[in-house]
Amino acid sequence: MDFLLEIVFEVIIGFLLVYPGALLRWLFFGRKQKFDNYVQKGDVYNFIISFCLIAGLGFFCATIF
């Protein structure tokens, strides 16, 4: 059971927290390098950027509705 949960959380972290952060970094830095370089190089930065984006959108939506 633990192995199954580990696989599920790895997929969630991979798709929901790493790729959006890498996309924002890629767009912010002017697309000078390939997108794959941003995905591979800064997992921690991608995670932090995505987490802040998700939390910020959550707070924004909570204040509107």
Side-chain angles (χ1 to χ4, degrees), residues 7-28:
I7 291 173
V8 169
F9 284 122
E10 285 290 326
V11 170
I12 289 172
I13 289 173
F15 287 114
L16 291 180
L17 296 176
V18 174
Y19 285 103
L23 178 67
L24 290 174
R25 287 179 59 215
W26 182 64
L27 291 173
F28 181 74

Side-chain angles (χ1 to χ4, degrees), residues 5-47:
L5 287 174
E6 183 177 344
I7 291 173
V8 169
F9 284 122
E10 285 290 326
V11 170
I12 289 172
I13 289 173
F15 287 114
L16 291 180
L17 296 176
V18 174
Y19 285 103
L23 178 67
L24 290 174
R25 287 179 59 215
W26 182 64
L27 291 173
F28 181 74
F29 289 118
R31 300 180 298 255
K32 295 177 183 174
Q33 298 177 0
K34 290 184 178 181
F35 178 71
D36 293 336
N37 292 340
Y38 288 104
V39 172
Q40 294 172 354
K41 283 185 181 178
D43 283 341
V44 175
Y45 297 121
N46 296 340
F47 177 80

